[in-house]
Amino acid sequence: MEAHPDEEGYIGATFMLNAYQLPDGSNPGPKKEDLDAICPDKPILIHDVSYHAAWVNSKALEMAGVTADTPDPEGGLFYRNENGEPSGCVSDAAKGIVFAIMPNTMTNDKLEQAMYKFMEEANSYGITGITNITQGGFDIIDMYHKVEDEGNLTLRMRVVPTMREDCTFDEVLSVIKSYNDSATDMISSNTVKIFYDGVTESGTAVMLEPYLESTGLGKDWCGTPVWPQEDFNRLVRDFDAEGIQVHVHAMGDGAVHGTLDAYEEARATNGERDARHTITHVCAITDEDIQRMADLDVVANLQFLMMYHDALMDLERAYVGDERAMAMYPVKHLAEAGICISGSSDAPVIPFVPLDAIEAGVTRNSPYPGEEDTDMTRWPEQGLTAYQVLEACTKNNAYQNFMDDIIGTVEVGKFADLVVLDTNILEVDAKAISDTRVIYTISDGRIVYEG
């Protein structure tokens, strides 16, 4: 703030919400007064590590019109103090209310500089393409094409606008169609992201069974969806009718169930097609819905670095108990049912290092030095083979993004998006996968990283 005194507000990251957990299992979150002491006259918003919650000061709450009388929105929570006043922590839809009033201090020049830094780092990890979920300005596509036209784009991307509550269906549809009009082999779209729920560690993931009473959320709290089910079904059905792929964030088993209901209705109404609709996260899911997901040909977009016993899992345990937390991510069951599993990082929530993720997908343990030799496993029986996880991060990602005709496998006629490693990760001990070094990253036939 001292370095940028003329800014109208400040947005930062990240803090760990689980650091505020109390011995009784409740979590009051951080306090607005601590930020007020730093800056009382300008709004401050700091994202937590999941980006589903934020720590805000009193000025931000005031500008958003949030008071003790403001009800919690559907799919979100205002954390409150003993007097019932907003205490300074907001999650999901409640975070969206405050974030909407934050001044936009990001410029196109800053975004382009950040883009180059990101591409450089991503290429060093062996990444040649991304599913690019956008939640900000819709005109960001122009910057990507500018970088591409200058011959500097080193990440092939599927650009996916988010259907936010403050947007209309027609607005988002128009954006996707405009993206499609400018599509190239490097930049494509025709996909929309929709949030069904929040996250377990803030009590906003939609569950079929209630959260623990010790969380202070109430005796029968199961979370509430971001959209009323009828509205959500209509959005999915209407996007599907336009031939657009739908990519849904669903954490809880209740959210997965509701999402599958919508996909089922869309297929019944619009007819069966090669939709490749996707659910990302799928932390909890019933056996019945695993089969339904397979029957509906829904892609499971999973984050392998979320599948071991890390600090966030400890927070999940505090919300749903040991048994339910340990039983999350039944990946082997998904694979055995015939579901296409793709791998992703959900960055910036977790690191976007594929080799670390591949190791975690096999061991269900931490891939990091000093931890991989300890028992930090979560349901290790659900680990996949190295080949299966490698396939999820290459071939299946290409399939999910409708790019399997041009990338994803090494074949004559496909573009050369390739990574050369110093080790055959299919033959080494699983704990050695994360130690593997990237020798070359090749994007669209160009060497973009040499290690």
Side-chain angles (χ1 to χ4, degrees):
M1 297 175 187
E2 292 179 359
H4 303 280
D6 297 328
E7 298 287 2
E8 298 178 7
Y10 302 95
I11 300 173
T14 59
F15 75 95
M16 290 287 289
L17 184 59
N18 61 327
Y20 296 88
Q21 184 179 326
L22 300 179
D24 65 1
S26 62
N27 191 323
K31 296 180 179 180
K32 59 187 177 185
E33 288 81 7
D34 293 332
L35 290 181
D36 294 345
I38 299 172
C39 182
D41 58 343
K42 295 180 181 180
I44 300 176
L45 184 147
I46 302 175
H47 300 280
D48 91 311
V49 68
S50 75
Y51 277 71
H52 280 263
W55 180 10
V56 300
N57 66 350
S58 295
K59 187 64 176 178
L61 292 167
E62 175 192 328
M63 291 175 62
V66 178
T67 69
D69 297 325
T70 304
D72 291 332
E74 289 292 321
L77 292 170
F78 292 111
Y79 285 57
R80 302 177 189 271
N81 59 26
E82 60 275 7
N83 298 321
E85 298 175 349
S87 60
C89 188
V90 292
S91 68
D92 291 289
K95 174 189 172 183
I97 291 172
V98 181
F99 190 79
I101 61 88
M102 294 299 298
N104 183 10
T105 60
M106 185 61 67
T107 65
N108 285 338
D109 286 342
K110 289 179 181 178
L111 279 172
E112 188 170 336
Q113 291 172 18
M115 176 71 176
Y116 276 99
K117 289 290 186 182
F118 172 72
M119 289 192 298
E120 180 181 355
E121 184 175 357
N123 293 155
S124 75
Y125 299 145
I127 296 174
T128 63
I130 58 173
T131 305
N132 188 346
I133 308 295
T134 65
Q135 295 194 52
F138 290 140
D139 60 351
I140 196 169
I141 196 83
D142 295 334
M143 185 265 285
Y144 300 145
H145 281 300
K146 175 178 179 292
V147 175
E148 180 189 20
D149 292 342
E150 293 170 351
N152 297 324
L153 187 64
T154 62
L155 293 174
R156 200 178 304 273
M157 61 178 71
R158 183 84 166 183
V159 184
V160 181
T162 298
M163 179 71 225
R164 305 191 309 265
E165 302 95 297
D166 60 344
C167 302
T168 67
F169 171 83
D170 288 339
E171 287 173 338
V172 177
L173 177 63
S174 175
V175 168
I176 293 172
K177 287 183 175 180
S178 71
Y179 286 5
N180 291 344
D181 288 341
S182 64
T184 65
D185 288 329
M186 290 295 292
I187 303 172
S188 63
S189 186
N190 207 47
T191 305
V192 64
K193 171 76 175 280
I194 309 177
F195 283 83
Y196 189 102
D197 66 346
V199 291
T200 309
E201 63 268 19
S202 66
T204 52
V206 175
M207 298 292 185
L208 294 174
E209 299 294 331
Y211 286 86
L212 299 179
E213 287 188 56
S214 57
T215 60
L217 296 172
K219 182 179 179 180
D220 297 313
W221 177 254
C222 292
T224 57
V226 174
W227 305 87
Q229 187 68 41
E230 184 178 344
D231 293 346
F232 180 79
N233 287 1
R234 183 176 64 254
L235 285 172
V236 170
R237 185 177 65 245
D238 290 352
F239 279 120
D240 179 74
E242 293 286 344
I244 292 170
Q245 179 192 36
V246 182
H247 182 112
V248 175
H249 164 112
M251 281 271 184
D253 48 11
V256 172
H257 186 82
T259 301
L260 292 175
D261 283 348
Y263 285 157
E264 201 166 49
E265 181 181 312
R267 176 180 283 193
T269 303
N270 302 327
E272 186 174 344
R273 66 182 182 87
D274 184 16
R276 305 187 196 182
H277 294 321
T278 301
I279 302 179
T280 189
H281 304 310
V282 198
C283 304
I285 182 172
T286 64
D287 291 341
E288 293 79 12
D289 278 340
I290 288 177
Q291 188 57 53
R292 198 156 60 119
M293 195 168 177
D295 293 342
L296 290 168
D297 300 316
V298 175
V299 177
N301 181 244
L302 308 180
Q303 297 71 42
F304 297 106
L305 278 173
M306 292 182 177
M307 297 179 189
Y308 71 95
H309 187 163
D310 62 356
L312 280 179
M313 193 199 118
D314 283 330
L315 192 52
E316 290 169 346
R317 291 168 69 194
Y319 276 78
V320 298
D322 288 351
E323 183 177 352
R324 289 167 67 185
M326 288 297 289
M328 288 183 173
Y329 305 105
V331 184
K332 192 172 184 179
H333 291 338
L334 297 174
E336 289 172 343
I339 294 169
C340 177
I341 295 170
S342 62
S344 72
S345 64
D346 201 37
V349 177
I350 55 175
F352 50 101
V353 184
L355 288 165
D356 290 349
I358 292 171
E359 179 176 319
V362 175
T363 66
R364 303 279 291 209
N365 199 16
S366 171
Y368 302 119
E371 295 181 347
E372 58 188 347
D373 291 323
T374 63
D375 184 6
M376 298 178 66
T377 57
R378 180 186 339 210
W379 204 1
E381 293 80 9
Q382 290 297 309
L384 300 180
T385 66
Y387 185 87
Q388 286 175 307
V389 187
L390 178 62
E391 192 174 47
C393 295
T394 54
K395 177 184 176 182
N396 294 355
N397 274 343
Y399 172 82
Q400 176 195 312
N401 286 326
F402 288 88
M403 296 180 182
D404 50 316
D405 59 332
I406 59 172
I407 59 169
T409 54
V410 182
E411 297 179 57
V412 174
K414 290 191 175 182
F415 292 113
D417 288 8
L418 304 169
V419 181
V420 180
L421 307 176
D422 73 343
T423 302
N424 185 344
I425 63 173
L426 303 181
E427 295 181 353
V428 300
D429 182 275
K431 290 192 294 185
I433 294 175
S434 61
D435 300 324
T436 300
R437 190 163 62 91
V438 176
I439 302 299
Y440 294 107
T441 301
I442 303 169
S443 170
D444 203 37
R446 302 161 295 169
I447 297 176
V448 296
Y449 173 78
E450 185 172 352

